[in-house]
Amino acid sequence: MKDGHRSFYTGSFAKKMVESVQNNGGIWSEEDLNRYKVLEREPVRSTYKGISIIAPGLPSSGGLVLSNALNILAGYELDKLSPTTQKHLIIESLRRAYYERALKMGDPDFMDNTLEFLLTPSYAAKQRESLNINYATDNQTLEFADPPYQGQGNDTTHFAVIDKFGNRVAVTQSINFWFGSAFVPKGTGVLLNNEMDDFSIKPGTENGYGLIGYDANAVEPRKRMLSSMTPTFLESDRGFVILGTPGGSRIISMILLATLEWINGGDAKSMVSLPRFHHQYHPDYVLYEEEAFMSSEIDELESMGHIFKKSNRQFGNMQIITWDQENNKIEVASDPRGKEKSREEVY
Ligand code: DON
């Protein structure tokens, strides 16, 4: 800490890490560490029903997937529809936004085109054209804008902070799976992550979270892997929210459900406690916590063509701070799933 970035990524400490990794079969070089730089990137800014959303840009998919799914939902008057239809539309929006993730998203330094179009109402309108209010969309009918692959050729923590001056911070940090790669280079005390799993290792091949990807997120030298981390600010006349959660691919849908809850007047506590459900385009099913649906809703949604899979554990560990502008009141809430439970029970 005292000697900063250089003392970690260069010199004798870096050497120690590299030697130990190599002695244990890893392929790191000192150059890999020497040339590593932290990059600051612009967040994605969008609006939904009068609230501003500020969430991470690539190489996290969080901001784009969240904003794109909300843009799709913006075409409906959700509050005038039945709870089941609302859930159907949320699932279908997530299906489409995660489909864009699988096909197009990766480290922006390695991409030729920007994905700004995902933030436009006109693209969301196009995405809604294939959305049937009564039936789940068959993944096979979602058209690839570009063929993704033509044969040859080609433990997470979130915290939210505010100080007395109103400075706010939303931070999610990840070493990916529990204990990362479960490897500490000898003599360093540094636990190495296994973020390599966030890359797509082969076209259309699932990672640890069942996510698929193609060229945009293929492994390449000096490239950063596509993330789902979504530390986010919401802002409106009501005040603001600082939020985020661990949970791998499900992070983005958790933030989306919490955002909708805030828009519906919910507070910090109801946002963190809300039962959760998730769809990520592939695998093509709705993963849900038991309390998220009544059995009659599942029957109805199944008859619309949705496939359901009950999660054998709850997911997420959301941390929220809200500021209510009218009453100048701060509220904080921690996910009940994160309390008094072993890590095996919560993911
Ligand atoms: O960046 C990502 O999307 C993943 N490394 C996040 C992993 C995660 O949230 C694990 N926590 N349960």
Side-chain angles (χ1 to χ4, degrees), residues 151-191:
Q152 297 296 311
N154 314 328
D155 216 295
T156 309
T157 304
H158 179 84
F159 53 95
V161 185
I162 185 160
D163 71 7
K164 64 179 176 183
F165 306 108
N167 294 305
R168 2 170 186 145
V169 190
V171 180
T172 311
Q173 90 78 33
S174 178
I175 54 170
N176 210 27
F177 296 159
W178 298 336
F179 291 97
S181 59
F183 182 78
V184 176
K186 201 164 174 222
T188 66
V190 176
L191 182 62

Side-chain angles (χ1 to χ4, degrees), residues 156 174 176 195 198 209 227-229 246-248 251:
T156 309
S174 178
N176 210 27
E195 295 292 342
D198 283 341
Y209 299 98
S227 170
S228 301
M229 291 186 284
I251 292 173

Side-chain angles (χ1 to χ4, degrees), residues 52-98:
S52 304
I53 296 149
I54 301 132
L58 293 172
S60 176
S61 58
L64 286 175
V65 173
L66 177 66
S67 304
N68 182 228
L70 288 170
N71 278 352
I72 299 172
L73 285 174
Y76 305 94
E77 291 194 70
L78 277 191
D79 44 359
K80 300 220 169 95
L81 299 168
S82 74
T84 312
T85 306
Q86 291 186 26
K87 285 173 174 164
H88 167 64
L89 292 175
I90 292 170
I91 294 163
E92 288 301 317
S93 304
L94 290 169
R95 178 197 304 283
R96 283 162 179 75
Y98 274 89

Side-chain angles (χ1 to χ4, degrees), residues 123-142:
Y123 192 73
K126 211 170 120 213
Q127 289 171 297
R128 278 192 299 271
E129 281 171 13
S130 62
L131 200 161
N132 186 311
I133 194 104
N134 295 314
Y135 293 104
T137 304
D138 178 351
N139 272 351
Q140 300 308 318
T141 65
L142 292 177

